């Protein structure tokens, strides 16, 4: 969607042509006799426009206003949550007339957080999935002009919100695609396309390269499917080479049947969303490419299907991970941790400032936190606090859960170094304890997004979470760069940087995938 930010007075907004003008009104007093100001003041006084966020009053071609339709919308106290409620209500109401051009005007002063909240809500209310519809009715809204009294202090927040929307919408697109339109190969091609953005590079590894790296755990999950696995390595370089990158690792199971430990049939379709961690990484890179912040970021996406088959993993099988640790697979449906553990081991080579994995990992996390907050796990208080804070300001919240060693007891087995499942109790935590065994050598956090990555009901679909949280975290990191490493350290870092080859399992594919630079 095309957003524009403009400095417009009440009088100028009245002269501004659009299909619908949404006037966002908070509970602070409003004065003046220009444009709609007297109408707004009168409506507020009469009680027709209560302060309750989401309350609407609609007008058709009001005299002196160039817009065809006008919606006065209350945004309550003007804080982010109320702005979101007000904008969702107004834009949903306005949608009925299929507007192409909308003006979103703040009647009073607006802060960066409220502006961002309004833009994200406007995008959310008008998003439509069309990829697999034969007669798609695409989003009619093409252009949203955000009108404020003074655009200058809001410019940065505006750019960030517009880029966040682009990232969220990319994540939604790939999340919503069904498994047959979102295979590991197609997902990796979507990643490779991001390399057309400035400072973004992408390498894609296939089965041969992954075997060579010794990723026995990831490869074992992929064995049950005829779709070849992909391992995506995305890089965004916005800062000096010597600066340690943040590594994002996204679970990319393009369909999770459970494997031989097969899932029940009901609602199994929802397991097409089991690559939403990966999709959030793609969304973040999309936004980074647009914003060009001064950070270095690596995105790792292990991607495959989890299928039952004659070649599939069997319960009781013991596999060897890239770290050397052997794993007894007691349940083939606990596959996410099996692909992530090898990606975490791979992450070490980047000498990362921090590694954050993002995964639709456990049903237990859905039970614990529902669809409101992601589960956050980290032994590092500073990293956990930074992610919590980023989530609050992005309205993409998470909640910290524990990592006490006692939770890891159930992963003990007589037949390997570790089992891939413990008992039912504390399932989100035991999954995190499994991952932690592979993340001992760097600052690490794990986000379990099983409850938040998509929603059911009439608006069934991807949410694009946690693109907003991750991006806010990275933009915060760009503002406070980590202390520079010594020349010796950075020289070592440069020479040890990962050198991977591009996948080659068909000539056609080879062309579609970007070569490493
Ligand atoms: N992808 C699922 C987790 C999931 C389940 C996400 C439901 C969203 C909704 C994951 O691979 C899985 O199957 N986890 C198992 C782990 C269990 C076997 C220990 C689960 O949560 O049931
Ligand atoms: Mn599973
Ligand atoms: Zn899964």
């Amino acid at each position: 969607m095309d957003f524009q930010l403009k400095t417009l007075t009440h009088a100028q907004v009245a002269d501004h042509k659009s299909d619908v003008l949404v006037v966002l009104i908070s509970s602070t007093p409003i004065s003046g006799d220009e444009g709609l100001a007297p109408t707004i003041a009168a409506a507020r006084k009469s009680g027709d426009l209560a302060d309750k966020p989401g309350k609407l009053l609609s007008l058709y071609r009001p005299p002196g206003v160039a817009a065809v339709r006008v919606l006065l919308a209350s945004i309550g106290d003007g804080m982010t949550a109320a702005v979101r409620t007000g904008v969702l209500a107004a834009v949903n109401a306005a949608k009925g007339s299929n507007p192409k051009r909308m003006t979103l005007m703040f009647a009073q002063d607006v802060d960066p957080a409220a502006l961002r909240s309004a833009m994200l809500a406007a995008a959310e209310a008008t998003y439509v999935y069309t990829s697999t519809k034969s007669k798609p009715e695409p989003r009619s809204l093409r252009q949203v002009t955000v009108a404020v009294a003074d655009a200058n202090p809001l410019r940065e927040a505006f750019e960030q919100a517009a880029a966040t929307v682009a990232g969220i919408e990319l994540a939604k697109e790939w999340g919503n695609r069904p498994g047959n339109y979102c295979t590991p190969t197609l997902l990796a091609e979507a990643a490779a396309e991001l390399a057309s953005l400035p400072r973004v590079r992408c390498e894609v590894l296939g089965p041969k390269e992954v075997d060579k790296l010794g990723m026995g755990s990831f490869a074992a999950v992929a064995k049950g499917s005829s779709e070849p696995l992909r391992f995506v390595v995305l890089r965004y370089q916005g800062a000096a080479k010597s600066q340690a990158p943040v590594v994002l690792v996204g679970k990319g199971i393009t369909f999770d049947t459970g494997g031989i430990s097969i899932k029940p049939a009901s609602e199994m379709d929802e397991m097409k969303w089991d690559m939403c961690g990966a999709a959030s990484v793609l969304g973040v890179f999309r936004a980074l490419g647009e914003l060009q912040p001064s950070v270095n970021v690596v995105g790792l996406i292990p991607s495959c299907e989890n299928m039952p088959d004659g070649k599939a993993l069997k319960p009781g099988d013991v596999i060897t991970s890239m770290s050397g640790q052997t794993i007894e697979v007691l349940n083939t449906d606990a596959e996410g941790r099996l692909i992530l553990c090898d990606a975490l081991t791979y992450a070490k080579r980047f000498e990362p400032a921090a590694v954050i994995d993002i995964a639709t990992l456990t049903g237990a996390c859905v039970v614990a936190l529902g669809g409101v907050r992601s589960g956050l796990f980290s032994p590092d208080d500073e990293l956990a606090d930074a992610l919590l804070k980023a989530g609050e300001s992005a309205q993409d919240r998470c909640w910290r859960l524990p990592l006490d060693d006692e939770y890891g007891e159930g992963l003990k087995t007589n037949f390997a170094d570790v089992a891939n499942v413990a008992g039912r109790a504390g399932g989100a935590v035991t999954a995190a304890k499994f991952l932690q065994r592979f993340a001992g050598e760097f600052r690490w956090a794990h986000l379990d997004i099983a409850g938040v990555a998509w929603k059911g009901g009439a608006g069934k679909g991807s949410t694009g979470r946690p693109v907003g949280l991750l991006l806010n975290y990275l933009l915060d990191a760009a503002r406070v760069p980590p202390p520079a490493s010594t020349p010796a350290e950075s020289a070592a870092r440069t020479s040890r940087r990962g050198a991977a080859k591009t996948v080659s399992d068909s000539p056609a594919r080879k062309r579609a995938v970007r070569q490493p630079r």
Side-chain angles (χ1 to χ4, degrees):
M1 192 153 53
D2 178 26
F3 283 103
Q4 290 184 356
L5 181 68
K6 284 198 172 140
T7 297
L8 294 174
T9 62
H10 275 254
Q12 287 169 325
V13 170
D15 289 339
H16 189 78
K17 284 201 183 112
S18 63
D19 300 315
V20 58
L21 164 63
V22 174
V23 187
L24 303 171
I25 302 157
S26 76
S27 45
T28 54
I30 187 158
S31 56
D33 50 9
E34 281 191 331
L36 284 160
T39 310
I40 296 165
R44 291 247 327 262
K45 208 166 165 195
S46 70
D48 276 337
L49 194 70
D51 287 342
K52 195 172 168 305
K55 176 83 174 116
L56 304 175
L57 201 58
S58 63
L59 315 167
Y60 186 75
R61 289 196 188 280
V65 178
V68 182
R69 292 172 186 82
V70 178
L71 266 174
L72 308 184
S74 168
I75 51 168
D77 59 9
M79 304 292 275
T80 53
V83 169
R84 177 177 156 80
T85 307
V87 173
L88 284 178
V91 177
N92 276 321
K95 260 189 336 197
S97 55
N98 293 323
K100 287 194 182 63
R101 288 181 311 163
M102 176 187 289
T103 306
L104 260 187
M105 180 214 187
F106 284 88
Q108 293 112 323
D109 280 350
V110 55
D111 62 28
L115 175 81
R116 173 199 158 89
S117 181
M119 289 168 65
L120 265 70
E124 186 177 326
T126 55
Y127 169 84
V128 264
Y129 170 81
T130 57
S131 305
T132 45
K133 297 274 186 93
S134 70
K135 296 183 189 69
E137 275 181 48
R139 162 194 255 164
S140 69
L141 193 61
R142 293 267 151 254
Q143 195 187 70
V144 178
T145 304
V146 184
V148 295
D150 183 5
N152 280 333
L154 296 166
R155 192 69 61 190
E156 187 184 326
F158 170 83
E159 302 296 347
Q160 289 181 5
T164 306
V165 166
I168 286 174
E169 293 192 350
L170 182 68
K172 283 185 176 180
E173 168 66 20
W174 283 95
N176 284 335
R177 285 192 185 205
N180 59 335
Y181 285 81
C182 174
T183 59
T185 304
L186 292 168
L187 192 64
E189 283 173 8
E193 275 175 28
L194 290 170
S196 64
L197 296 166
R199 297 179 175 174
V200 176
R201 288 179 294 159
C202 181
E203 295 164 26
V204 178
L205 314 194
K208 274 191 210 127
E209 292 89 350
V210 161
D211 277 345
K212 212 164 150 200
L213 282 163
M215 293 184 167
S217 186
F218 174 29
V221 174
K223 271 194 323 185
S225 169
S226 49
E227 287 291 339
L229 64 74
R230 290 290 182 266
F231 188 76
V232 173
V233 184
L234 276 161
R235 294 173 205 224
Y236 168 76
Q237 199 196 319
K241 270 216 172 84
S242 59
Q243 193 167 306
V246 174
V247 178
L248 304 177
V249 180
K251 173 178 173 183
I253 295 288
T254 57
F255 197 82
D256 181 11
T257 65
I260 297 298
S261 314
I262 199 160
K263 288 180 180 292
S266 87
E267 293 170 12
M268 204 207 272
D269 67 287
E270 296 192 0
M271 286 300 115
K272 73 172 184 178
W273 279 297
D274 212 16
M275 35 54 69
C276 281
S280 74
V281 174
L282 298 185
V284 167
F285 272 78
R286 170 73 224 269
L288 290 173
E290 205 165 309
L291 291 171
Q292 301 284 302
S294 52
V295 275
N296 292 333
V297 187
V298 172
L300 301 179
I301 299 176
S303 179
C304 66
E305 288 184 337
N306 186 23
M307 299 287 280
D309 180 77
K311 291 204 182 90
L313 265 176
K314 303 174 292 297
D317 282 0
V318 173
I319 57 183
T320 303
S321 66
M322 187 180 178
S323 72
Q325 294 178 73
T326 59
I327 304 164
E328 184 188 24
V329 181
L330 289 174
N331 190 320
T332 66
D333 197 10
E335 84 298 339
R337 61 198 80 180
L338 297 178
I339 72 169
L340 291 170
C341 68
D342 282 342
L344 288 172
T345 301
Y346 187 86
K348 212 174 74 179
R349 69 183 55 203
F350 299 102
E351 296 173 54
V355 177
I356 303 163
D357 76 71
I358 311 105
T360 48
L361 203 65
T362 65
C365 193
V366 190
V367 174
L369 297 173
V372 181
R373 289 182 188 255
S374 305
L376 165 66
F377 299 84
S378 180
D380 186 310
D381 290 341
E382 208 183 308
L383 178 58
D385 287 346
L387 289 164
L388 283 164
K389 179 174 154 271
E392 295 300 325
S393 63
Q395 292 177 286
D396 186 354
R397 287 163 292 170
C398 57
W399 194 257
R400 195 169 175 189
L401 293 168
L403 281 169
D404 302 281
D405 280 339
E406 289 89 330
Y407 286 108
E409 292 289 322
L411 296 170
K412 287 189 173 147
T413 163
N414 293 340
F415 306 107
D417 299 343
V418 65
N420 78 328
V421 293
R424 269 171 58 84
V429 191
T430 57
K433 286 307 285 182
F434 177 91
L435 293 177
Q436 192 180 14
R437 298 175 60 97
F438 301 86
E441 290 166 70
F442 40 72
R443 291 172 80 212
W444 162 76
H446 158 58
L447 285 166
D448 192 332
I449 60 166
V452 307
W454 74 93
K455 55 186 198 295
K460 183 172 177 175
S462 288
T463 60
R465 291 177 68 183
V467 170
L469 181 162
L470 294 168
L471 204 58
N472 267 17
Y473 167 78
L474 293 170
L475 295 174
D476 284 346
R479 271 189 283 272
V480 192
S485 47
T486 66
E489 276 167 357
S490 58
R493 181 188 310 289
T494 318
S495 67
R496 263 177 278 154
R497 277 277 158 81
K501 293 257 165 58
T502 297
V503 64
S504 51
D505 61 6
S506 86
R509 206 136 279 151
K510 201 167 174 182
R511 276 194 300 278
V513 174
R514 207 157 279 268
Q515 301 289 331
R517 279 177 229 166

